[in-house]
Amino acid sequence: MGDQPYEMMDAHQAADALDAYLAERDPALDRLRGQLSSAGRDPDGELDGSLYSVTPLWAWIIARATELGTDPRSLAEDPTRATWPSWARHGRLVDPHPPAETIGLVDGFASYLGQLISVAAPEAIWQVGEQLIAEHPLLNYPVLASDHHQLFLPALPLYSVYQSAHGRDPMSGTEMRIHVQRTIDAMHGKGPEAAAIEEPLVTVVAELDCFDVGLREDIPAEHPEIVPLLIAELCHRDGVESVHRYGPAALIVTVPDWDELRLKLWCTLWLQRNLPR
């Protein structure tokens, strides 16, 4: 299976990838405990299973990610890639990328979130992400899911360490705690995340020399201020040449070095973080 992207896997490969992800959870959490101890922190106190433990834990992780910055080598030249967790090798990391230590911190944090959310929402189970609709972004990913919601746990932490590594504003500890609480609520069928499971925030279609990006129609209707903010932020991403809004929920994005999955993931994670609740 190598480093094949999740989206390109068949059903058997996706099932094997889920097994690999789950087998990595306890070792990843053990490594996080060791990193906390090496930093002079108390792993038992930091990882007490409470929702409020997320705030200081994430604040420490993001501070460390900021210190580490980006790896000077490209993904193709980074010799540590073979040691990365399977989700990072099968996912859509891009250059300049975080170093192995940062990816390991995200891996341990994802393991901790999995335990915490599973206790708070025992109806949630691990499964292969399903393509409930044609543009579902989690197809074949290892997700924690209930009848109401499914989530690839490393996604938002990874997005945030990318922000930090590039000198941009990452999620704070409080923002991450709120995200986890919303996830728990969604697993129980409460909140906008659960209500919107059958409709993606973003769809992306590759055109000849650009991408046609569609936002969920309620976004500009209910939050008219959010689309200009999205456009402004997107225009400052590396490689983005232009963004043109041709309708309330429609954009044309010119970014030659990206593929549609990278653009969709970036826009989805940005909206998950910035949409008002």
Side-chain angles (χ1 to χ4, degrees):
M1 186 163 50
D3 290 352
Q4 185 177 25
Y6 286 114
E7 296 87 353
M8 304 297 293
M9 293 179 181
D10 61 30
H12 292 295
Q13 291 170 328
D16 289 344
L18 174 61
D19 289 342
Y21 178 85
L22 294 177
E24 294 167 348
R25 293 310 90 214
D26 286 345
L29 190 56
D30 288 343
R31 286 191 293 272
L32 178 61
R33 295 179 66 88
Q35 288 166 307
L36 286 166
S37 181
S38 296
R41 304 174 77 92
D42 174 19
D44 292 333
E46 297 271 0
L47 307 175
D48 65 3
S50 69
L51 178 63
Y52 284 93
S53 67
V54 171
T55 299
L57 176 61
W58 180 249
W60 174 72
I61 289 174
I62 206 65
R64 182 63 182 141
T66 301
E67 292 174 5
L68 292 168
T70 58
D71 196 292
R73 299 160 295 196
S74 69
L75 287 166
E77 297 171 339
D78 188 344
T80 70
R81 185 168 183 170
T83 69
W84 293 359
S86 59
W87 61 263
R89 290 182 283 105
H90 297 309
R92 291 280 177 167
L93 272 68
V94 296
D95 288 323
H97 64 281
E101 183 177 342
T102 299
I103 294 171
L105 288 169
V106 171
D107 194 34
F109 184 69
S111 289
Y112 184 58
L113 292 189
Q115 289 190 358
L116 193 156
I117 295 169
S118 293
V119 170
E123 67 272 33
I125 61 171
W126 290 101
Q127 67 180 48
V128 173
E130 298 173 348
Q131 191 169 13
L132 301 180
I133 56 176
E135 290 292 332
H136 198 278
L138 295 180
L139 178 64
N140 294 336
Y141 280 71
V143 298
L144 190 59
S146 70
D147 290 340
H148 310 286
H149 189 57
Q150 57 182 289
L151 182 67
F152 175 57
L153 291 179
L156 203 55
L158 180 65
Y159 167 86
S160 195
V161 298
Y162 260 98
Q163 292 288 91
S164 175
H166 287 260
R168 302 177 184 120
D169 183 27
M171 293 184 74
S172 68
T174 299
E175 285 179 304
M176 185 60 76
R177 174 180 55 79
I178 292 171
H179 163 67
V180 175
Q181 181 62 71
R182 288 203 303 257
T183 297
I184 293 169
D185 291 343
M187 293 294 179
H188 291 305
K190 303 174 183 177
E193 286 87 352
I197 188 172
E198 294 189 356
E199 186 176 359
L201 293 171
V202 181
T203 59
V204 177
V205 176
E207 302 291 352
L208 182 61
D209 57 357
C210 62
F211 296 98
D212 193 330
V213 178
L215 307 179
R216 204 174 65 201
E217 290 187 0
D218 65 291
I219 293 173
E222 297 179 10
H223 309 289
E225 77 289 350
I226 205 72
V227 181
L229 292 175
L230 170 65
I231 292 171
E233 184 79 7
L234 186 55
C235 284
H236 285 90
R237 299 309 89 178
D238 297 333
V240 175
E241 294 181 356
S242 65
V243 181
H244 170 64
R245 185 179 185 181
Y246 69 92
L251 311 174
I252 292 292
V253 180
T254 303
V255 53
D257 294 333
W258 291 22
D259 61 25
E260 58 193 286
L261 290 171
R262 177 181 176 185
L263 180 57
K264 182 174 183 176
L265 180 61
W266 187 92
C267 291
T268 298
L269 293 177
W270 189 92
L271 288 167
Q272 285 178 342
R273 181 185 179 190
N274 290 281
L275 276 173
R277 303 295 178 183

